[in-house]
């Protein structure tokens, strides 16, 4: 891609968007176009159209959205379905109207059925019931894939989709009411250590299995797919390796606070029992992850220690008029 290309990263303040901006910077794309929530409400089609007409992006990374872990998904389903459905639709439609050359849409591995065959191939989409704890979010994410495919079919738009597994890394959300499990555990072990408390509570039974990808690897994969992939099918992005939540908690504890002991609060939901992506297609295209999990956890904890004042530690629920 030409170094002067006009690249819009929608969602540049988030975990993924900020990593994509870093990766583009490393590749010489120093100033991608961005817009804060205050500047542009991505749920507002008229505002998004106006913004595209004024800024004329040629390439779009659509990685904006309302995201969160199992608790936030269960307790704020309206925000998760409305914000994401709207954002996907407005940006895809404006990208079509204003002649964007290529768009990459980022989904989530929760699009697959709760009891999908493991590892989960791309073809498992819509083959069974979704996981109830995140069904509204998953429906919005599936709609995003279908939007890209429909615009490809009807208008010949070059819109592609990538489905990442569970993510973590610098810039993550460490607020226990809305975070995903990995940053939540990091925060819990960190706080326990600071307070001299040896016991750390892990939600659920500890038996669910999850796969974790460092966000810098995801950003690299997104740039790779933007440059090399043209297909209609969404592409899974992961490591191809998973572990139990108990094993994850042990690993995070070893990095942050090895003296702590773990207890399980089984009154909390487990969510889907297993979510391991089949990454054969991505490997076939020539991409592989770099970070192994233990190394990524250590690197992320190091970032957390250096950035506690700016890390996201408490929930700010947006007012109804903001995205
Ligand atoms: O990461 P997480 O919130 O989301 O939870 P999902 C993964 C597993 O970790 C669940 C357990 O079994 C949780 O019960 N867990 C243990 C914890 N301790 C904690 C904790 O302190 N905090 C959290 N958050 N979990 C989300 C979906 O599913 O994953 C989204 O809700 C999205 O839609 C996202 O797909 C990637 O992996 O279950």
């Amino acid at each position: 891609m030409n170094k002067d290309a006009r690249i819009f990263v929608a969602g540049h303040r988030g975990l993924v968007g900020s990593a994509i901006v870093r990766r583009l910077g490393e590749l010489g794309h120093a100033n991608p176009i961005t817009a804060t929530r205050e500047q542009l409400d991505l749920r507002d089609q008229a505002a998004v159209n106006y913004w595209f007409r004024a800024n004329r992006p040629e390439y779009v990374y659509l990685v904006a959205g309302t995201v969160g872990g199992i608790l936030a998904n269960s307790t704020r389903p309206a925000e998760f379905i409305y914000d994401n459905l709207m954002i996907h639709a407005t940006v895809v439609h404006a990208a079509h109207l204003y002649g964007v050359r290529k768009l990459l849409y980022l989904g989530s591995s929760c699009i697959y059925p709760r009891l999908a065959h493991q590892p989960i191939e791309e073809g498992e989409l819509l083959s069974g019931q979704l996981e109830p704890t995140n069904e509204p979010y998953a429906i919005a994410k599936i709609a995003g894939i279908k939007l890209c495919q429909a615009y490809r079919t009807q208008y010949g738009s070059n819109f592609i989709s990538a489905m990442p597994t569970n993510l973590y890394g610098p810039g993550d959300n460490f607020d226990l009411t809305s975070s995903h499990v990995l940053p939540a555990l990091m925060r819990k072990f960190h706080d326990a250590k600071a307070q001299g408390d040896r016991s750390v509570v892990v939600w659920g039974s500890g038996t669910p299995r999850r796969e974790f990808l460092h966000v810098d690897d995801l950003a690299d994969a997104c740039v790779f797919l933007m440059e090399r992939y043209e297909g209609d099918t969404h592409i899974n992005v992961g490591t191809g390796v998973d572990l139990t939540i108990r094993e994850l908690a042990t690993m995070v504890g070893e990095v942050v606070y090895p003296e702590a002991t773990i207890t399980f609060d089984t009154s909390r939901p487990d969510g889907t029992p297993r979510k391991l992506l089949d990454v054969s297609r991505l490997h076939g295209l020539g991409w592989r992850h770099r970070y192994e999990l233990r190394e990524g956890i250590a690197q992320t904890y190091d970032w957390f220690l250096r950035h506690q004042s700016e890390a996201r530690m408490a929930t700010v629920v947006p007012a109804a008029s903001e995205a």
Side-chain angles (χ1 to χ4, degrees), residues 92-279:
V92 165
H93 190 60
H96 156 62
L97 289 180
Y98 296 100
V100 163
R101 295 165 72 136
K102 191 163 184 179
L103 174 146
L104 180 139
Y105 160 72
L106 196 74
S108 164
S109 59
C110 68
I111 58 159
Y112 293 114
R114 170 183 164 76
L115 300 177
H117 296 107
Q118 307 283 327
I120 312 173
E121 292 175 11
E122 286 84 353
E124 289 279 317
L125 181 63
L126 295 174
S127 63
Q129 295 282 321
L130 295 166
E131 158 62 32
T133 55
N134 58 32
E135 190 185 68
Y137 179 70
I139 296 272
K141 285 282 147 191
I142 293 170
I145 300 175
K146 295 298 169 190
L147 274 162
C148 291
Q149 289 174 339
Y151 279 68
R152 290 177 76 88
T153 304
Q154 187 171 344
Y155 304 121
S157 311
N158 193 1
F159 297 168
I160 62 169
S161 301
M163 294 306 117
T165 191
N166 290 36
L167 303 169
Y168 70 97
D172 212 335
N173 171 11
F174 295 89
D175 165 25
L176 297 179
T177 64
S178 56
S179 58
H180 292 99
V181 60
L182 197 154
L185 292 177
M186 198 170 275
R187 168 96 185 262
K188 285 179 179 177
F189 279 104
H190 176 83
D191 288 355
K193 187 177 179 182
Q195 290 153 12
D197 179 357
R198 294 222 163 189
S199 169
V200 167
V201 177
V202 176
W203 294 350
S205 63
T207 59
R209 300 185 71 88
R210 294 288 185 274
E211 175 188 10
F212 296 93
L213 180 71
H214 192 286
V215 73
D216 287 346
D217 278 335
L218 175 72
D220 186 55
C222 288
V223 173
F224 174 90
L225 290 170
M226 183 66 110
E227 285 175 355
R228 314 242 186 119
Y229 182 67
E230 301 285 337
D232 179 69
T233 309
H234 60 278
I235 298 283
N236 288 342
V237 185
T239 63
V241 180
D242 67 354
L243 77 175
T244 64
I245 296 300
R246 177 190 288 272
E247 288 165 338
L248 175 74
T250 303
M251 202 181 275
V252 174
E254 283 165 3
V255 170
V256 178
Y257 184 24
E259 295 77 18
T261 55
I262 297 166
T263 56
F264 293 94
D265 177 357
T266 52
S267 69
R268 300 282 191 165
D270 273 342
T272 194
R274 194 175 186 198
K275 208 165 34 169
L276 174 65
L277 294 180
D278 183 320
V279 284

